[in-house]
Amino acid sequence: MGALHVVFAAKAGRAVAEALGNLPPGTELACLNCYPNGLPFYLGRTATLISRNGNELTSNYVIYALKHETNWPPQIVPVTNFDNWISAQKQPVYLMVRQSDTNILETLAAARGATVQTLPHGYWGAQLPAPGGS
């Protein structure tokens, strides 16, 4: 079953990347409590992970390091800092979530006049303009 999970996860990243292929340049891609395997590779861009502990990643080394470090790398944001992080963004953010976090996405999208879209493999996302409408 482990091999099937890896194959399914890779296909999920590819399918989500195809759905997001037209993200405008300069848009920050962020994943809240989720991280489709391979998504940054298929999009050819980095993604910021907002996470409790990094368990969305496939690298045991990274997960271990996050548990033992107080200063996380800039592309991984502790979920407790999410409100500050999203408010500080000066560029548009495309935020992705799983079903358990759609209420957060819907609240942010409504506040910024954005539309939530359904993505493949159980993901949802919204193109959030930067504060001030940029």
Side-chain angles (χ1 to χ4, degrees), residues 36-119:
N37 191 24
L39 181 63
F41 171 78
Y42 291 117
L43 285 176
R45 60 169 48 192
T46 60
T48 297
L49 170 63
I50 298 101
S51 176
R52 286 175 180 69
N53 54 21
N55 280 346
E56 300 83 358
L57 302 172
T58 56
S59 168
N60 288 332
Y61 172 78
V62 173
I63 294 167
Y64 176 85
L66 292 175
K67 287 180 183 176
H68 296 89
E69 290 291 326
T70 54
N71 295 322
W72 288 7
Q75 292 310 120
I76 305 175
V77 176
V79 75
T80 54
N81 294 347
F82 175 65
D83 290 338
N84 291 336
W85 180 87
I86 195 80
S87 298
Q89 299 309 299
K90 304 220 182 311
Q91 72 279 358
V93 173
Y94 190 91
L95 182 63
M96 289 182 49
V97 301
R98 288 290 203 168
Q99 183 174 8
S100 59
D101 290 316
T102 54
N103 58 334
I104 295 168
L105 182 64
E106 289 168 348
T107 299
L108 285 167
R112 296 191 184 187
T115 303
V116 173
Q117 72 179 112
T118 303
L119 298 169

